[in-house]
Amino acid sequence: MQQAITLFSLNTIIKECLDKQLSPTYWVIAEIGEIREAVRGHAYLDLVEKTDGEIRAKMRGNIWAYSYQAIKRKFQGTTGQPLKSGMNILALVNVQFHELYGISLVIKDIDPNFTLGERARRRQEIIERLQSEGLLELNRQFVLPAVSQKIAVISSVTAAGYGDFINQLDQNPYGYKVHYQLYQAAMQGKSAAAEIIDAIQQIEETAPGFDLIVLIRGGGAQTDLDCFDDYDLAKAIANAALPIVTGIGHERDESIADLVAHTQLKTPTAVASFILSGFREFEDNLQHSLIRIERWVQSRIKQESEGIMDQTHLLKNLFQGKINEKMLFLDRISQQSMRSALHKIEKDTIKVNNNGKYLHKAALICISKAADKLNQLEKTLERLNPEYLLSRGYTKTEKDGMPIHSQELQAGDELVTFSQKRKITSIIKKLEQNEEKRR
């Protein structure tokens, strides 16, 4: 039986074999799957090789700070853009094996003339194709509803981003109610694009209408998001019957799905906040509208009240003037009657004095008759007072401020009738002759 050794001893043997068998450096063609800059100035890369979109090889790469600054300046100066995910690079590497961290490539140099990687070129070709077909702006032609209450969600039920999105909606501090339905689809891998397209088709065929479609997933490595750069998926998003909002969760680069969507946001929680902001804005606008309506109604009530008061004073003064005029007329009649009666009394008194006691009785009788007549005149004056007539239940009807008995009337004329406590406005619908008057 072969003697057992420790893992560290095995790793040491591997390291010694590699150091002996491998050349100091190699020029390697690989695609940058992901690149991260450390605080101390180092760069860490995931280098990959693909066949038909499938990753067939992958290895970690490091560029130490001293070399990275020179490589970065030279590459950007030549190509006009920084090193980034999706580029194919030609790199001079040294293979290192560490007993603790395993195998990695230390990148000594990158040839900037190797230009962009195949992945980036393919992506650019898809963007140019979508642009030529008029699809990049197509989904943006939709007008988002003021309040999106019915949401179709395309995601994976196991995705952390989906859980964050639902929690944000359900636990919003305003108590807004959002109805959502999940359409399950893979969010990475070879089948993801086809499943997302199928979900869009299912949503469009669903009987109850949705306000918009949300496409969300959590963050991930750049290579995990290749499905969102698929041409067929981009075309399906552009031609969708509803506006599509994306929250794919990749902070560094836009996917092609983001480019063709109506609205792109960085994360699923940002999408949830965007939807809730529509509710909040609608509520604020509604509150402001209610305040404006209330102020307008109050202003209109004040104007109408002032107009009614002005009309009331005008009619009161007009009506009082007519009453005073008639009372003055009646008072003149009363004074004339009083003077006539007194004058006759004086004449009769003179006659009595002239004729002596014989006429004394006749004078008394005359005085009594005059007093009765005076009382009768006072009662007549009282009955002729409009206030007295109105208090008895009679009314006064005018047209254009004049009594109706002196005017020609016809159907459609407006009449104003005064009682003791009311003013009544009416329209003549029918006129008939008084039968007794005709006889």
Side-chain angles (χ1 to χ4, degrees):
M1 180 177 179
Q2 186 178 2
Q3 185 179 359
I5 61 174
T6 65
L7 179 61
F8 179 79
S9 298
L10 177 61
N11 283 352
T12 302
I13 294 172
I14 295 173
K15 183 177 185 303
E16 291 175 353
C17 288
L18 292 176
D19 290 342
K20 291 178 181 178
Q21 296 299 322
L22 296 179
S23 297
T25 57
Y26 293 90
W27 282 101
V28 176
I29 298 173
E31 180 182 321
I32 300 176
E34 187 165 1
I35 182 169
R36 302 175 297 280
E37 292 187 2
V39 176
R40 295 183 179 181
H42 309 309
Y44 300 102
L45 300 84
D46 287 336
L47 299 177
V48 299
E49 181 179 341
K50 296 178 183 177
T51 301
D52 297 329
E54 292 289 334
I55 297 176
R56 61 180 296 183
K58 185 175 182 179
M59 187 173 291
R60 290 183 295 110
N62 308 317
I63 310 177
W64 305 127
Y66 184 80
S67 299
Y68 182 55
Q69 298 306 316
I71 291 172
K72 184 168 63 171
R73 283 195 301 269
K74 182 175 67 172
F75 187 89
Q76 188 159 354
T78 303
T79 65
Q81 54 188 315
L83 288 165
K84 62 181 180 179
S85 300
M87 287 184 172
N88 266 11
I89 60 172
L90 178 60
L92 180 64
V93 303
N94 168 242
V95 181
Q96 286 191 350
F97 185 87
H98 191 275
E99 293 85 349
L100 178 60
Y101 301 109
I103 194 168
S104 62
L105 301 178
V106 176
I107 299 175
K108 303 292 187 178
D109 194 10
I110 294 177
D111 183 0
N113 295 315
F114 197 73
T115 67
L116 296 175
E118 183 62 26
R119 178 180 179 279
R121 285 198 297 273
R122 186 173 63 251
R123 183 177 184 275
Q124 187 61 35
E125 289 173 358
I126 292 174
I127 293 174
E128 291 174 358
R129 180 180 177 184
L130 293 168
Q131 180 71 51
S132 66
E133 294 173 354
L135 297 177
L136 281 182
E137 302 293 331
L138 189 59
N139 197 256
R140 294 189 182 94
Q141 294 179 5
F142 289 105
V143 177
L144 288 177
V147 177
S148 300
Q149 290 185 289
K150 295 182 179 180
I151 312 297
V153 183
I154 301 176
S155 187
S156 171
V157 70
T158 58
Y162 173 71
D164 294 340
F165 174 79
I166 297 306
N167 289 336
Q168 185 93 347
L169 291 184
D170 289 344
Q171 299 175 16
N172 73 85
Y174 308 106
Y176 299 138
K177 183 63 176 178
V178 183
H179 303 278
Y180 51 83
Q181 182 173 339
L182 174 65
Y183 287 81
Q184 175 76 20
M187 290 291 107
Q188 67 184 62
K190 193 171 183 179
S191 65
E195 291 186 23
I196 295 172
I197 294 171
D198 184 61
I200 293 174
Q201 293 173 348
Q202 289 181 48
I203 292 168
E204 293 177 340
E205 295 170 359
T206 302
F210 291 100
D211 296 323
L212 57 85
I213 298 173
V214 168
L215 175 59
I216 55 174
R217 62 152 287 162
Q222 181 64 43
T223 52
D224 293 336
L225 304 177
D226 282 348
C227 62
F228 296 102
D229 286 338
D230 183 81
Y231 168 78
D232 291 329
L233 174 58
K235 184 177 180 180
I237 292 174
N239 288 314
L242 292 169
I244 294 182
V245 178
T246 58
I248 296 173
H250 192 236
E251 295 288 343
R252 289 172 291 279
D253 291 311
E254 291 178 319
S255 68
I256 295 178
D258 290 323
L259 294 177
V260 297
H262 183 283
T263 302
Q264 70 165 104
L265 298 159
K266 288 297 184 183
T267 63
T269 53
V271 175
S273 297
F274 173 74
I275 293 170
L276 294 173
S277 69
F279 283 75
R280 187 64 180 170
E281 183 177 349
F282 180 82
E283 186 176 15
D284 290 342
N285 292 338
L286 180 61
Q287 186 64 33
H288 292 155
S289 297
L290 291 174
I291 292 173
R292 288 196 297 270
I293 291 172
E294 182 179 1
R295 289 175 179 173
W296 181 85
V297 170
Q298 290 176 349
S299 175
R300 191 59 186 268
I301 290 174
K302 183 179 179 181
Q303 292 178 3
E304 294 298 328
S305 298
E306 291 174 352
I308 291 173
M309 290 296 296
D310 292 342
Q311 293 295 323
T312 301
H313 290 315
L314 179 63
L315 292 173
K316 183 177 180 181
N317 293 336
L318 181 62
F319 188 67
Q320 189 62 46
K322 291 183 177 293
I323 291 176
N324 292 340
E325 182 181 338
K326 292 183 179 180
M327 288 296 294
L328 181 61
F329 175 73
L330 294 174
D331 186 56
R332 289 174 180 173
I333 293 175
S334 176
Q335 291 178 4
Q336 291 176 0
S337 300
M338 290 280 291
R339 286 195 295 270
S340 297
L342 290 173
H343 181 68
K344 186 173 182 180
I345 291 171
E346 289 176 357
K347 289 174 64 177
D348 291 343
T349 303
I350 293 172
K351 288 181 180 180
V352 169
N353 290 333
N354 292 336
N355 294 319
K357 295 181 179 180
Y358 177 79
L359 298 177
H360 180 69
K361 186 176 181 179
L364 292 176
I365 294 172
C366 184
I367 290 171
S368 178
K369 289 181 178 180
D372 291 341
K373 185 175 182 181
L374 182 60
N375 289 334
Q376 186 64 34
L377 285 171
E378 289 179 350
K379 292 179 180 180
T380 300
L381 285 173
E382 183 179 352
R383 287 193 296 270
L384 290 173
N385 188 337
E387 290 292 337
Y388 173 79
L389 295 174
L390 295 177
S391 69
R392 294 288 303 277
Y394 292 97
T395 60
K396 178 181 70 171
T397 302
E398 297 178 351
K399 174 191 170 188
D400 299 328
M402 299 295 293
I404 62 174
H405 70 271
S406 62
Q407 301 187 64
E408 291 292 333
L409 301 178
Q410 59 184 0
D413 288 347
E414 181 180 284
L415 303 180
V416 179
T417 302
F418 298 91
S419 67
Q420 188 179 27
K421 296 182 179 181
R422 294 182 178 86
K423 173 187 172 182
I424 304 166
T425 302
S426 59
I427 302 296
I428 298 176
K429 291 187 175 180
K430 186 178 181 182
L431 286 171
E432 294 182 357
Q433 291 292 333
N434 191 320
E435 294 294 335
E436 294 182 359
K437 294 296 182 181
R438 283 190 291 184
R439 289 198 295 269

